[in-house]
């Protein structure tokens, strides 16, 4: 790896994003959503792929022939993502798909294209506790050769806390969707809840999407979307992404899928500093985020 593909960050309205996304931002901003489209929004590494798989399974009532039709990134395009030349982009994939489309984004709420709100689209937001999120992001940046170089862990943690990583402030991200959840069609869910009681959470998501599924179908979907099932599913584990982008010698995409792995990474000192900072930043918007289950 010669480091040439690793992106630098630039900004849209003060939010740091990979440079290539900023370059093609205009077409993201003017994207026309349809009423039936569903947006899955997350801060990076909050369990996006997991939520995507659950939603696709729900919409297809657990039919594996249908959910295994293509890899995650083809079935549910990542709206703001683009190749450096702008050719291979979420937007171009979406333009040739008929609604209802399931669309992935990591954008903070203020950058979501206006048409999603005008059309009244349903939005599913998944939040994950920031300690597991930053650990997962760190390992992802080690293996994703299109992401900026992560550097040493201590510096990476500092960058997360000072909101310098791609997609910006985790704190503002979770708060932004939380504050709007009752004003807009937003279902706000937690990684930790899904891990603790997937039957309950998959049922909530299905009901939000207007589907009453049988207990048998829900159980089947839960089984097909466990960490181990998804890790073995080539249409859900990003194994189709070439090694020139994902360096699997550095880390796996489907890495651990646990709650509390942060305990293996944070020193006692880092944890104390993080806790203090976290409570200060979250004081104006208490969200029931759990660091263990
Ligand atoms: P870890 O790095 O902690 O293992 P995203 O899809 O937003 O990039 O998030 C990736 C994280 O979600 C990774 O976390 C990945 O292992 C985890 N994940 C993916 N599918 C999962 C599943 N079915 N159950 C639990 N965790 C899952």
């Amino acid at each position: 790896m010669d480091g040439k593909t690793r992106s630098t960050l630039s900004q849209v309205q003060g939010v740091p994003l990979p440079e290539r996304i900023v370059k093609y931002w205009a077409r993201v901003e003017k994207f026309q959503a349809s009423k039936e489209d569903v947006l899955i929004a997350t801060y990076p590494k909050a369990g996006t792929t997991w939520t995507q798989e659950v939603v696709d399974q729900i919409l297809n009532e657990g039919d594996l022939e249908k959910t295994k039709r293509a890899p995650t990134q083809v079935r549910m395009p990542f709206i703001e993502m683009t190749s450096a030349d702008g050719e291979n982009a979420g937007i171009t994939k979406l333009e040739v798909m008929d609604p209802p489309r399931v669309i992935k984004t990591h954008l903070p709420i203020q950058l979501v294209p206006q048409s999603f709100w005008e059309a009244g689209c349903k939005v599913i937001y998944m939040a994950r506790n920031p300690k597991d999120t930053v650990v997962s992001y760190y390992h992802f940046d080690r293996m994703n050769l299109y992401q900026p170089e992560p550097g040493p862990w201590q510096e990476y943690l500092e960058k997360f806390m000072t909101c310098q990583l791609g997609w910006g402030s985790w704190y503002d991200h979770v708060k932004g969707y939380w504050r709007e959840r009752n004003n807009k069609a937003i279902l706000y869910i937690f990684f930790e809840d899904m891990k603790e009681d997937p039957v309950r959470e998959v049922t909530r998501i299905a009901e939000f999407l207007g589907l009453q599924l049988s207990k048998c179908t829900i159980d089947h979907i839960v089984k097909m979307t466990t960490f181990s099932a998804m890790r073995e599913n080539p249409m859900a584990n990003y194994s189709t992404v070439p090694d020139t982008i994902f360096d699997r010698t550095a880390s796996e995409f489907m890495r651990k899928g646990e709650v509390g792995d942060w305990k293996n990474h944070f020193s006692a000192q880092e944890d104390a500093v993080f806790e203090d900072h976290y409570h200060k930043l979250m004081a104006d918007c208490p969200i029931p985020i759990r660091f263990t289950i």
Side-chain angles (χ1 to χ4, degrees), residues 169-271:
S169 167
W170 174 90
Y171 310 88
D172 290 348
H173 208 284
V174 295
K175 288 196 258 186
Y177 285 91
W178 181 259
R179 289 188 172 122
E180 287 299 317
R181 74 195 188 287
N182 298 324
N183 303 327
K184 296 184 162 75
I186 298 174
L187 177 71
Y188 202 103
I189 57 174
F190 296 94
F191 184 100
E192 295 75 20
D193 288 353
M194 185 107 122
K195 200 73 193 169
E196 183 181 66
D197 192 342
V199 169
R200 181 189 64 207
E201 296 307 305
V202 171
T203 306
R204 276 182 73 205
I205 298 171
E207 284 171 1
F208 177 71
L209 294 173
L211 284 141
Q212 292 290 334
L213 302 181
S214 68
K215 175 155 184 350
C216 174
T217 305
I218 296 275
D219 287 345
H220 172 71
I221 292 172
V222 167
K223 212 168 126 204
M224 297 317 299
T225 54
T226 60
F227 178 76
S228 49
M230 282 181 57
R231 193 180 48 190
E232 300 311 316
N233 177 355
M235 294 297 120
N237 65 8
Y238 282 111
S239 55
T240 55
V241 175
D243 290 347
T244 47
I245 301 177
F246 281 1
D247 174 8
R248 295 175 178 88
T249 63
S251 186
E252 298 277 331
F253 182 87
M254 298 294 289
R255 197 183 59 90
K256 284 196 176 174
E258 289 171 3
V259 177
D261 185 42
W262 60 268
K263 291 177 189 166
N264 300 316
H265 291 76
F266 279 64
S267 67
Q269 159 83 4
E270 284 165 352
D271 194 34

Side-chain angles (χ1 to χ4, degrees), residues 15-16 43 108 160 163-174 281:
V15 177
Y43 188 81
F160 179 88
C163 313
Q164 295 177 57
L165 298 180
W167 289 273
S169 167
W170 174 90
Y171 310 88
D172 290 348
H173 208 284
V174 295
L281 264 67

